[in-house]
Amino acid sequence: MERIKTSRIAPEEITEKECQYPSFGDGKVFEGKKTDRLPAMGWNSWNAFGSGNTEKLTKVMGDRLVELGLDQLGYKYVVLDDGCYMTERVEGKLSNDPVKFPEGFKALADYLHERGLKFGMYNDIGTNLCAGAAVGTCGYEDVDAESYNEWDIDFLKVDNCYYLWDNATFSNPENARFSYAPKIASIKITKGDFSKEYSAIKDGKVVGNGAVADDTGVSFIGTLDGTNTGTTPIGELSSELEFVVAVPDDGEYSISVLCKPGRENGCGEWLQLAVGLPQNETRYFDGIIMSTESEADALNKLQENSDEKTAEEFKESQPISVMLTKGRNIIRLMNHRRQENVLNAYATMFNALKAKSDKDILLSICEWGKTQPHTWGYKVGDSWRILNDITFSVGSDGNPGTGSWNNPGTQSIASQYNKAVIMDEFSGPDKGYNDPDMMVIGMDGITEDMNKTHMAMWCMMNAPLMLGIDLRRVEKGDSIYKIIANKKLIEINQDPLGVQAKRVYSSIVEKDADKTYITNNNRVDILAKPLANGNLAVSFINLSDEDDDEFHTITLDEIVDKIGDKMIDRERFEVENSFIAEDVWTGYLLNIIGRDLTIQGLKAHENLTYIIE
C-alpha cells in the first residue's frame, strides 16, 4: 500500500483501494492490525473530570484500580481524555500542560506501568481537540506517533470534532461541500455524432438510502449521518444515483453532468463518477465537479445588490472521459468521501503508530457513528463509537457528573443500547467492537438497578468496559463495586469466543428483533450470547420506567435458530430438555426442565441474566 497521508489544505486524493467504499465489505484488515483482541477494559478520565483531569488525579485513579483489585479483573487501561495537552503545539509537537501534568506523560506512563497498568491518551483527526486545543493530528500523524512512542502509550482514542473535510461537530458547516454530491438533474453522454441525455428523475435509479428526489433532480447523495439517534445502523447507509446507458460502440465517451452545487446539508460540490458495479468499478472522477460561492461571499453580494440572485442554478459540468463498451453500461454518480476521508484519516494515524512504535497500540475510533464506522472501522480500529457521547453532564473533582437512563438524545444508557444491540454482526475478534461509550455507572441520576442493567448490557454486547466514575467514590464490597467487579459478567464480556449477544426477542416487535431499530423503551428484550465453553448467556432486560408483570418466553429452538451458527455446543441445545441456569447476580442455580425460558416480574430498569449449561 502507498503511504497514506492527510492534508490541511484540501482533501487528499484517495487511490488506495483499501480506503475506498467498495472495499468496506471485503472483511480485510490493514496490514499490521492485530486481531483476536477482546474488548478493552479500564478507566477513562472524561466522564469523571472532563477537561479538568490532572496528573495527580490520574495517579490516584490508577492506584485505586490496584487497591480495589479491579486490575486483576481486567481493568488495565488508564486513559487520559481531552484537556491534557498545551493548547498549541510547541515547535510542532504535542506537549503536556505543565500545570496539570508537571512531570510529563512519560513519567506518568512509567508510574502506571510500574503498577501493572496500561497507559492511554487522546487526540482528534482534525485540527483541534473537542475542548478546543489546536493540537489535532491532521497532517501531524508521523510527528505525533513519535511522541506517543516516546511516552510509551498503549492505547490511543482519536476523536472527530474538528475534521476539515466533513461537516463534523465543530468544523465549518460549509464543509458539507465535501460530504455530498451536487443536486443532479441529468447526465449527457456524447461520442462523435452520438449524443444522449438521461434524466435523473425519469431514467436514474436511486440506490441505497438517504438520497431525495423532487421535480428538478436528486439531492442528498452521500452517506447518512449516524451521530444521533434515529438512523438505523442496518442496511445500505449511503446513496448513489445509477444510470443504465446503452451506447453503439466500444470506446471513449464524454459524460457531462447537469447539476446544482452547494455548501449545505444535502447539496455539495464533490462528485464521484464510476462505471460498473462497486465490486468491479472503474472510477473516472473523484473531486469538486463545480464550485460555488462561500456563504460569506454570497451574503456580501446580496448586501451589495439586494435584487441580485445569489443562489446557484443548474449548470453543465466539464466533460468527463470514460471508457464504455457496446451495449449496456452502468454509470454511478455518488459521494462516499464522508466515509473514505475519515477512514483515510484514521488509517494515517494507524500506519504512523505502526511505523513509529514497536508496541501494539490499541486504536479506539471515536467519531460517534457519524460516518457509520461499523462498516469500515474494523480495517484499522479495535473499537468504534456508535453514537455521540453518553453524557454531556460530566463531573469534576468532587462532582460525580450526571447520567441518564432514557434521554431521547444520545445522552442515555438506553439510547446507546438501542443502537448497539442490533449491531452484533459487525463485532468480533476478527474485526473489533461496537463502542456505546464509557460507562456512567455511579454517576448521579443512575439508580442501582440502572447500574446493574447498564453493566449487563455492555457485557452482553461485548462493549469496551471503560469506567467513567471517580474511583475514590468506590469502596471494596459496596454496591458500585459489586456491579463493576461482577466476575461472571466480566467473563461474559471477555469470553474468548468474542461473539456479541444477539437480541432474540423484544416484546413490542413480532419478528426480526435482531435487526429492528427500536427507540420505544416501553419493552422487555431478551439477549442470547454463545460462550466458548459451550454454554449460553441469556439476559432479560426491562427498559421501561415502569415495572413489568407480563410473562416473557423464548424457546431454545428460537435461540438456536438465531445464533446456532456461532454456538460451540449447538447439538446439545438442540435436543436436551434439562439445563442448569446460574443467576450472575445472586449465584442462585435454577433447574430448567423443558425447552422454554420464561420470566415474569421485572422491575423498572431491571435485568435477569443467566449462564445456562
Side-chain angles (χ1 to χ4, degrees):
M1 181 193 300
E2 279 186 44
R3 187 78 170 104
I4 295 173
K5 56 184 178 179
T6 65
S7 169
R8 295 189 176 201
I9 299 172
E12 288 286 344
E13 181 181 4
I14 299 177
T15 58
E16 296 78 15
K17 298 294 185 183
E18 295 90 339
C19 285
Q20 293 181 348
Y21 175 75
S23 76
F24 290 3
D26 65 14
K28 296 178 181 177
V29 303
F30 274 36
E31 182 180 354
K33 185 201 165 179
K34 178 179 172 60
T35 56
D36 298 321
R37 293 189 197 273
L38 294 173
M41 296 178 62
W43 177 86
N44 179 290
S45 65
W46 184 253
N47 284 354
F49 304 124
S51 294
N53 189 40
T54 65
E55 179 180 293
K56 180 179 179 181
L57 286 170
T58 304
K59 288 182 177 181
V60 171
M61 295 303 112
D63 290 342
R64 290 299 289 162
L65 284 177
V66 175
E67 291 163 4
L68 293 166
L70 294 172
D71 61 325
Q72 298 304 307
L73 296 174
Y75 293 99
K76 293 286 190 179
Y77 290 99
V78 177
V79 181
L80 301 185
D81 211 286
D82 207 343
C84 58
Y85 302 108
M86 294 281 285
T87 57
E88 301 282 345
R89 289 179 176 269
V90 178
E91 297 181 351
K93 292 187 176 184
L94 300 170
S95 180
N96 56 293
D97 182 313
V99 175
K100 294 180 183 177
F101 295 88
E103 294 183 12
F105 298 133
K106 179 59 169 66
L108 182 55
D110 290 344
Y111 183 91
L112 296 170
H113 288 152
E114 287 168 3
R115 284 150 181 79
L117 300 171
K118 296 184 178 183
F119 178 49
M121 295 197 72
Y122 165 93
N123 212 302
D124 188 288
I125 60 171
T127 57
N128 297 60
L129 309 187
C130 290
V135 295
T137 65
C138 184
Y140 288 91
E141 291 86 358
D142 285 342
V143 173
D144 292 350
E146 288 183 359
S147 295
Y148 291 134
N149 181 50
E150 291 172 6
W151 297 333
D152 201 15
I153 74 166
D154 305 285
F155 179 112
L156 183 64
K157 172 184 172 182
V158 185
D159 227 323
N160 179 34
C161 277
Y162 284 92
Y163 183 55
L164 289 161
W165 314 125
D166 187 11
N167 51 330
T169 296
F170 299 121
S171 67
N172 187 347
E174 290 192 9
N175 287 342
R177 66 191 292 218
F178 305 112
S179 303
Y180 291 98
K183 186 173 187 179
I184 296 171
S186 64
I187 63 171
K188 184 166 65 175
I189 302 177
T190 59
K191 177 178 181 287
D193 294 334
F194 175 83
S195 180
K196 189 167 183 180
E197 188 167 355
Y198 292 84
S199 164
I201 302 302
K202 296 179 181 178
D203 305 309
K205 176 185 176 183
V206 172
V207 178
N209 292 293
V212 175
D214 61 23
D215 292 341
T216 60
V218 178
S219 56
F220 281 91
I221 298 172
T223 299
L224 292 170
D225 188 336
T227 308
N228 212 317
T229 56
T231 300
T232 177
I234 305 299
E236 184 54 65
L237 300 168
S238 59
S239 55
E240 300 181 352
L241 181 60
E242 184 180 289
F243 296 90
V244 178
V245 304
V247 295
D249 302 295
D250 294 349
E252 185 175 356
Y253 290 75
S254 291
I255 298 179
S256 58
V257 183
L258 187 64
C259 62
K260 181 163 68 174
R263 300 182 178 212
E264 61 188 26
N265 194 37
C267 184
E269 300 175 350
W270 197 283
L271 182 71
Q272 296 173 321
L273 187 150
V275 176
L277 294 172
Q279 58 267 30
N280 57 9
E281 72 172 32
T282 301
R283 285 194 190 178
Y284 288 98
F285 188 81
D286 191 349
I288 290 179
I289 191 72
M290 197 180 297
S291 189
T292 58
E293 296 174 338
S294 71
E295 183 179 355
D297 290 341
L299 287 173
N300 289 336
K301 183 180 288 188
L302 187 63
Q303 290 168 355
E304 290 169 6
N305 184 350
S306 60
D307 295 327
E308 186 168 355
K309 201 172 185 180
T310 58
E312 296 288 340
E313 301 295 341
F314 284 98
K315 297 178 181 178
E316 188 172 342
S317 75
Q318 72 267 31
I320 301 167
S321 295
V322 302
M323 297 300 295
L324 301 178
T325 57
K326 181 180 179 179
R328 290 161 55 89
N329 296 263
I330 294 176
I331 309 293
R332 294 165 44 240
L333 304 182
M334 55 203 178
N335 184 346
H336 294 295
R337 286 300 289 245
R338 169 173 271 173
Q339 293 177 304
E340 293 174 344
N341 286 340
V342 177
L343 170 55
N344 183 71
Y346 281 101
T348 304
M349 194 71 246
F350 169 86
N351 283 343
L353 292 172
K354 293 300 177 187
K356 302 297 182 180
S357 175
D358 294 330
K359 294 188 73 172
D360 180 29
I361 297 171
L362 189 151
L363 179 60
S364 171
I365 294 173
C366 182
E367 61 81 88
W368 341 297
K370 187 176 187 67
T371 67
Q372 317 295 348
H374 57 286
T375 63
W376 55 261
Y378 72 93
K379 290 183 171 295
V380 296
D382 298 292
S383 62
W384 40 87
R385 282 276 298 281
I386 56 101
L387 278 175
N388 210 327
D389 293 2
I390 194 171
T391 179
F392 288 167
S393 300
V394 299
S396 60
D397 189 0
N399 168 23
T402 303
S404 170
W405 177 263
N406 58 3
N407 186 306
T410 67
Q411 299 89 50
S412 74
I413 295 166
S415 293
Q416 300 281 340
Y417 164 83
N418 286 339
K419 187 174 182 184
V421 74
I422 57 172
M423 297 173 66
D424 54 288
E425 295 297 337
F426 300 98
S427 170
D430 58 331
K431 304 177 186 74
Y433 300 99
N434 302 308
D435 181 4
D437 204 2
M438 291 91 72
M439 295 189 291
V440 294
I441 291 172
M443 297 179 77
D444 281 356
I446 308 298
T447 67
E448 183 172 354
D449 280 335
M450 292 176 185
N451 283 327
K452 291 172 71 174
T453 299
H454 182 7
M455 181 72 176
M457 287 170 163
W458 265 230
C459 288
M460 290 291 288
M461 295 191 302
N462 277 30
L465 299 182
M466 301 303 291
L467 301 172
I469 186 175
D470 180 344
L471 293 170
R472 294 172 300 184
R473 301 179 65 237
V474 181
E475 295 297 336
K476 207 164 192 176
D478 70 13
S479 61
I480 297 298
Y481 177 84
K482 288 178 181 177
I483 293 169
I484 63 177
N486 185 304
K487 291 183 180 180
K488 291 295 182 182
L489 278 175
I490 292 171
E491 287 171 359
I492 289 172
N493 179 265
Q494 297 289 298
D495 183 79
L497 195 60
V499 175
Q500 177 176 326
K502 186 179 286 291
R503 183 168 63 194
V504 293
Y505 166 95
S506 185
S507 61
I508 61 174
V509 297
E510 293 185 2
K511 61 179 182 178
D512 295 330
D514 59 323
K515 299 180 178 68
T516 304
Y517 182 39
I518 309 170
T519 57
N520 178 357
N521 294 328
N522 293 316
R523 69 181 199 270
V524 170
D525 285 353
I526 303 176
L527 312 186
K529 176 176 169 31
L531 303 177
N533 62 2
N535 294 338
L536 281 176
V538 178
S539 189
F540 301 80
I541 298 169
N542 181 12
L543 282 95
S544 175
D545 292 334
E546 304 292 334
D547 294 350
D548 184 281
D549 294 323
E550 301 295 321
F551 286 94
H552 299 281
T553 298
I554 190 76
T555 70
L556 287 170
D557 293 322
E558 290 171 313
I559 291 176
V560 171
D561 179 63
K562 289 294 187 182
I563 64 170
D565 60 330
K566 299 178 175 69
M567 294 171 63
I568 298 298
D569 201 357
R570 173 176 182 161
E571 291 183 1
R572 177 165 67 93
F573 283 93
E574 286 179 322
V575 299
E576 289 192 8
N577 292 290
S578 178
F579 302 90
I580 295 175
E582 180 182 4
D583 186 324
V584 301
W585 294 111
T586 66
Y588 181 77
L589 298 179
L590 177 68
N591 288 317
I592 299 175
I593 304 301
R595 300 187 55 76
D596 292 350
L597 306 178
T598 301
I599 60 100
Q600 181 193 25
L602 280 173
K603 293 187 298 181
H605 317 125
E606 187 184 21
N607 80 96
L608 292 175
T609 301
Y610 298 97
I611 296 172
I612 301 175
E613 57 184 56

